[in-house]
Amino acid sequence: MPFRPRPPWLGGTLQTIRALRWPWPARLSPGHRLWLPLADGDALAAMLHLPERASARPLAVLVHGLNGTEDDPYLREAAAGLLRRGFPVLRLNLRGSARSLARSTSHYHLGRSEDLAEALTLLPEALTGQGVLLAGWSLGGSLVLNLLGREAASLPRILGAAAIGPPLEPEQAYAAIDANPVLGRALLALYRREVLAVPATDLPEPLRQAARQAGSLTEFEATVTAPRFGYPSFAVFCEVNRPAAALPRLRVPTLVIMAEDDPLVPIAAMRAIDWSACPAALPLAIAGGGHCGFYDRDAESLAVRAIGALFEGVSSPAGA
């Protein structure tokens, strides 16, 4: 799909920096802080926003990516766009992220979709009675895809979903991140600090030492995340949690958005998929946009417009 970047965000790297670190995020109306208690004693922080005018639209649940929180620019911008369209919005913080840290003794990873499933089942009928819509960015997109491929039948009624820049093939994404001399090093440092900040009861000193010494994201996942969560190897960790494998099992309309110039998640993974075997998936390859950016000449990003269009379509009487 053609893409005309919004100056000065020219090229995938600048689009990515704008999406992840823009210092003036979108303004939102005051929200309501929720804590969603998990069965093991941890809890996830979430921020609920209701549209100015009451509507019967389904709840949109937004999930951040690696090192993210509810306050990431791309997440706030999507929340603002969906609120303008009349959707109630829940910005969910993953286990161990900065907002959930106070009540976390463990950490998220790209396959830990059971946390997302449990959070959705904890939401009251007053919020989910009209159905639920899901959108995840980067690692959050992986969680959404894995969730829908594994546990959709046991959840509140999911009407549609979107995954923006998901690492469909984790090994490719880790390799691209590790090869990026600027963004890769920054992401690893932030991830290391985030994981070590959790007062983890399941992260013994040998794993903490491995976290301090890891020189790449691949090494971190292989020597810390995989053994921490009981995977015998990095290869098994990736295979069991591969988002691409979930695509044929999807049963609700799911938009998958990726950019040709994404510096962190190669679009080659999208090209290699037999989309005819994934009838519920809607692949959208964009000529530009970086990682989770898609800032073009419109006031809203292309990603926000695409998500809004899908959510409006599946929540209308004809689309529901």
Side-chain angles (χ1 to χ4, degrees), residues 200-209:
T201 58
D202 63 346
L203 191 63
E205 185 55 35
L207 292 186
R208 288 185 169 273
Q209 187 63 25

Side-chain angles (χ1 to χ4, degrees), residues 62-153:
L62 313 184
V63 187
H64 63 77
L66 186 74
N67 300 320
T69 72
E70 65 186 36
D71 288 317
D72 284 359
Y74 59 81
L75 210 70
R76 292 181 64 98
E77 288 157 359
L82 292 170
L83 285 165
R84 283 193 293 270
R85 290 166 171 82
F87 292 95
V89 173
L90 185 80
R91 294 181 288 149
L92 182 66
N93 296 274
L94 298 175
R95 183 196 300 250
S97 64
R99 292 288 185 178
S100 295
L101 179 62
R103 297 180 63 178
S104 294
T105 61
S106 189
H107 202 266
Y108 60 83
H109 62 72
L110 70 87
R112 205 167 187 183
S113 60
E114 62 269 22
D115 279 4
L116 182 51
E118 192 171 350
L120 292 177
T121 61
L122 289 168
L123 296 173
E125 173 72 14
L127 291 179
T128 63
Q130 300 298 325
V132 173
L133 301 160
L134 299 174
W137 283 255
S138 193
L139 179 142
S142 296
L143 290 173
V144 166
L145 294 177
N146 281 325
L147 173 77
L148 295 177
R150 293 169 176 170
E151 306 175 76

Side-chain angles (χ1 to χ4, degrees), residues 175-308:
I177 292 170
D178 293 338
N180 191 304
V182 178
L183 297 177
R185 183 173 298 181
L187 286 172
L188 174 62
L190 291 170
Y191 190 47
R192 187 196 331 269
R193 184 174 68 184
E194 187 178 66
V195 170
L196 291 175
V198 178
T201 58
D202 63 346
L203 191 63
E205 185 55 35
L207 292 186
R208 288 185 169 273
Q209 187 63 25
R212 299 184 189 103
Q213 295 176 347
S216 68
L217 189 59
T218 298
E219 183 181 356
F220 194 102
E221 298 292 68
T223 62
V224 181
T225 304
R228 178 183 193 179
F229 293 103
Y231 297 96
S233 67
F234 174 70
V236 172
F237 169 74
C238 291
E239 186 61 33
V240 170
N241 298 309
R242 191 178 306 283
L247 293 170
R249 301 194 297 270
L250 302 182
R251 295 296 179 266
V252 299
T254 303
L255 181 64
V256 181
I257 308 177
M258 300 188 73
E260 294 276 357
D261 61 356
D262 189 327
L264 303 178
V265 179
I267 200 171
M270 172 180 267
R271 296 199 187 100
I273 290 171
D274 177 9
W275 292 99
S276 66
C278 312
L282 311 171
L284 185 58
I286 310 299
H291 188 63
C292 300
F294 304 100
Y295 298 103
D296 59 3
R297 305 301 175 93
D298 197 280
E300 290 185 321
S301 74
L302 187 153
V304 171
R305 301 198 308 274
I307 295 167

